[in-house]
Amino acid sequence: MEGQVVGGMLRLFHSRLPRLRAGSLQDNPRDPVKEPERPQDHCLPAFAGGQHFFEYLLVVSLKKKSSGPDYEPTITYQFPKRENLLRGQQEEEERLLGAIPLFCFPDGNEWASLTEYPRETFSFVLTNVDGSRKIGYCRRLLPTGRGPRLPKVYCIISCIGCFGLFSKILDEVEKRDQISVAVIYPFMQGLREAAFPAPGKTVTLKSFIPDSGTEFISLTRPLDSHLEHVDFRSLLTCLSVEQILQIFASAVLERRIIFLAEGLSTLSQCIHAAAALLYPFSWAHTYIPVVPERLLDTVCCPTPFMVGVQMRFQQQVMESPMEEVLLVNLCEGTFLMSVGDEKEILPPKLQDDILDSLGQTTNEPWTSEQLNEHVSGPFVQFFVKTVGHYASYIKREANGQGHFQERAFYKALNSKAIRRFVKKFVKTQLFSLFIQEAEKSQTPSAGYFQRKILEYEEQKKHKKSREKTVK
């Protein structure tokens, strides 16, 4: 997969337009799409236990260009160093590693030495043309020392989506960086040799730190893994639930969405959270949590995208030729541009259901997992109520291959408002990729979405039973 990703990234930079999936920008989203194998329940990252935690740990530093005052981000440390690669493999690795510095310093090349700099944790996604992903988890900070100095970035490259877990790993890397870079190596070596835990399981690493002795570091995955790659706190802090609902509505119809914010952390967390609201569907178009300055013309693309842009580039974005875009200012909690119909996209009754559920609060402090479930749950229920009956409308041949009965599927809905929405939604690539995978699978997946469908069907049965008893 490594070679494919690098080859895809090379084409990506030649075109200056990163894409989430191959074939994602087709004219007809119901045409057959060759999508990557995705895990159970059609969610985005590969979450199977037993994988390695990461592929690379990199340090990206700013080096002054030979001419002019600008700096250029450069990889100054790499673990592990891969040796004895074939010529083609080596070229592919060089292309991948050549793409990463741009995303570690997306702010441009104009820097000055600093004495203080608030650390930032953010991520980016490098995507192959076949849809497979490598995620970069970054911690940007000032190196230890005195006097003015330039920030550097620790970047962990992994195929696994689990932002909370990798943030903890970056904490450990930063703690060791304050002692010596040499202390980081044995910790990362131990991490590389450990298998990524299954949901609900813990892996414990033993690590020696000079002057502190041996430490035991526990890394635990949440039992329910479908939200472990996201944290909704930033999105809720920046926007109202009504605005979040409008962003969701725009994303469901695969429109163009731009997020503006000062901090890389805020941009990264908010765009991942917005994409996670689409579960169990996968955003299948251009997806860049933090757009590097060099790729700002992405916002002129006429096809769907979901991107984050730093506030310093706001004027440049506003002056770009854009059509039907939702431009979200996360600093002010406002929409700078919109299509105007965002409040009318979703069925009114289901909109109210989401707002009522999100409005329910408790005096007890919530854990990150509890908050994620509180925010995600109403949106999952939205899809359960609108398209949760999909499996009943896949007609199968003798060989097990399924064929989705689209017309019968949406005509089965009693509500006219829901039917109008679903007739549009089935034409999106979000639904197309989902249903194509369901057509290939002879039995519904046993994942989170399917459990919620079964729970909803049971509730309807009980309700009918009570109504008959009353009569």
Side-chain angles (χ1 to χ4, degrees):
M1 187 172 69
E2 264 175 37
Q4 293 176 325
V5 171
V6 184
M9 282 304 299
L10 181 63
R11 288 188 289 277
L12 187 154
F13 273 86
H14 281 169
S15 66
R16 295 172 61 81
L17 182 61
R19 298 194 303 169
L20 186 66
R21 294 190 189 279
S24 63
L25 308 179
Q26 296 183 30
D27 293 332
N28 184 356
R30 290 294 294 133
D31 288 345
V33 180
K34 184 182 178 183
E35 74 276 17
E37 289 187 11
R38 281 173 290 171
Q40 202 174 55
D41 223 20
H42 321 311
C43 54
L44 294 176
F47 284 124
Q51 295 174 285
H52 290 297
F53 272 87
F54 72 101
E55 295 184 22
Y56 296 100
L57 169 69
L58 306 169
V59 177
V60 179
S61 305
L62 291 166
K63 299 294 181 182
K64 196 159 190 177
K65 291 184 177 181
S66 55
S67 60
D70 290 350
Y71 290 85
E72 185 172 20
T74 305
I75 295 174
T76 54
Y77 176 85
Q78 173 188 334
F79 171 78
K81 289 280 190 181
R82 301 189 186 276
E83 299 177 350
N84 302 320
L85 294 176
L86 299 176
R87 181 178 176 181
Q89 292 175 323
Q90 186 172 355
E91 290 175 351
E92 289 161 357
E93 181 188 61
E94 289 173 355
R95 289 169 187 155
L96 171 64
L97 297 181
I100 289 169
L102 179 66
F103 289 90
C104 291
F105 284 93
D107 340 48
N109 298 326
E110 296 180 7
W111 285 87
S113 297
L114 305 165
T115 55
E116 292 183 1
Y117 183 83
R119 72 177 187 178
E120 293 190 278
T121 304
F122 59 99
S123 62
F124 59 84
V125 180
L126 301 181
T127 311
N128 179 22
V129 291
D130 71 353
S132 55
R133 296 177 166 192
K134 291 185 188 290
I135 303 173
Y137 300 96
C138 300
R139 173 69 55 81
R140 193 153 82 178
L141 43 75
L142 278 186
T144 54
R146 296 180 178 178
R149 51 207 186 278
L150 293 165
K152 67 179 179 181
V153 174
Y154 278 102
C155 179
I156 300 173
I157 301 297
S158 176
C159 294
I160 298 167
C162 194
F163 298 98
L165 204 65
F166 280 95
S167 181
K168 186 174 180 180
I169 292 170
L170 286 167
D171 289 342
E172 296 295 331
V173 169
E174 182 179 352
K175 182 166 70 175
R176 285 156 179 77
D177 173 71
Q178 293 171 0
I179 302 169
S180 169
V181 174
V183 185
I184 298 173
Y185 167 79
F187 168 70
M188 295 304 291
Q189 179 64 35
L191 187 66
R192 186 167 173 77
E193 293 170 356
F196 191 69
K201 301 297 182 181
T202 298
V203 62
T204 301
L205 303 176
K206 186 168 73 172
S207 178
F208 177 79
I209 299 180
D211 299 328
S212 297
T214 300
E215 288 189 354
F216 291 91
I217 301 151
S218 295
L219 301 171
T220 304
R221 285 182 70 190
L223 185 61
D224 188 352
S225 62
H226 86 281
L227 286 175
E228 67 181 341
H229 61 292
V230 68
D231 188 333
F232 286 109
R233 292 183 194 277
S234 287
L235 194 64
L236 288 172
T237 300
C238 295
L239 300 171
S240 69
V241 291
E242 290 81 7
Q243 290 171 319
I244 293 171
L245 190 59
Q246 291 179 58
I247 291 169
F248 170 74
S250 297
V252 162
L253 290 190
E254 298 181 323
R255 292 183 172 179
R256 293 173 282 277
I257 307 172
I258 304 171
F259 294 90
L260 289 170
E262 293 283 359
L264 300 176
S265 300
T266 300
L267 272 179
S268 176
Q269 291 172 15
C270 287
I271 194 171
H272 285 306
L277 294 176
L278 297 171
Y279 174 87
F281 302 94
S282 304
W283 180 259
H285 302 277
T286 301
Y287 178 79
I288 316 175
V290 183
V291 178
E293 181 183 22
R294 201 181 302 174
L295 298 177
L296 279 177
D297 55 3
T298 299
V299 301
C300 303
C301 179
T303 48
F305 58 73
M306 190 183 297
V307 301
V309 177
Q310 287 180 283
M311 192 62 74
R312 69 180 67 188
F313 303 124
Q314 177 183 347
Q315 193 63 33
Q316 190 172 338
V317 168
M318 296 288 286
E319 293 174 354
S320 299
M322 299 182 294
E323 294 182 3
E324 295 193 336
V325 64
L326 181 62
L327 182 57
V328 184
N329 184 333
L330 294 169
C331 297
E332 302 294 334
T334 58
F335 292 163
L336 300 181
M337 297 176 66
S338 66
V339 177
D341 65 345
E342 287 82 3
K343 294 181 180 180
E344 283 77 51
I345 293 172
L346 306 179
K349 173 65 168 63
L350 298 187
Q351 283 197 78
D352 292 341
D353 289 346
I354 294 174
L355 292 173
D356 289 344
S357 295
L358 292 178
Q360 295 174 6
T361 58
T362 175
N363 294 327
E364 297 296 322
W366 281 343
T367 65
S368 180
E369 289 179 47
Q370 289 171 331
L371 179 65
N372 283 353
E373 178 61 32
H374 173 73
V375 176
S376 174
F379 293 96
V380 174
Q381 282 300 314
F382 172 86
F383 287 124
V384 168
K385 293 174 183 177
T386 53
V387 298
H389 59 300
Y390 73 94
S392 300
Y393 293 88
I394 296 178
K395 185 177 181 181
R396 299 200 176 275
E397 298 176 357
N399 62 3
Q401 176 61 42
H403 298 282
F404 180 59
Q405 310 298 301
E406 180 181 308
R407 182 176 174 82
F409 168 72
Y410 63 70
K411 287 191 73 174
L413 294 162
N414 293 324
S415 166
K416 290 183 179 180
I418 294 178
R419 197 182 311 138
R420 279 195 300 270
F421 166 77
V422 170
K423 286 177 74 172
K424 294 178 182 178
F425 183 57
V426 295
K427 302 300 182 183
T428 66
Q429 194 151 344
L430 285 170
F431 188 81
S432 179
L433 289 172
F434 178 92
I435 209 67
Q436 284 175 35
E437 188 165 314
E439 287 172 331
K440 291 186 295 185
S441 176
Q442 296 190 25
T443 56
S445 65
Y448 181 83
F449 185 55
Q450 188 62 28
R451 293 203 307 271
K452 292 300 178 182
I453 291 173
L454 295 175
E455 289 175 10
Y456 180 66
E457 291 174 348
E458 282 298 314
Q459 290 170 2
K460 288 199 298 184
K461 287 180 183 177
H462 287 310
K463 184 178 179 181
K464 285 184 179 180
S465 177
R466 287 195 303 269
E467 289 173 350
K468 286 181 181 179
T469 303
V470 171
K471 289 178 181 179

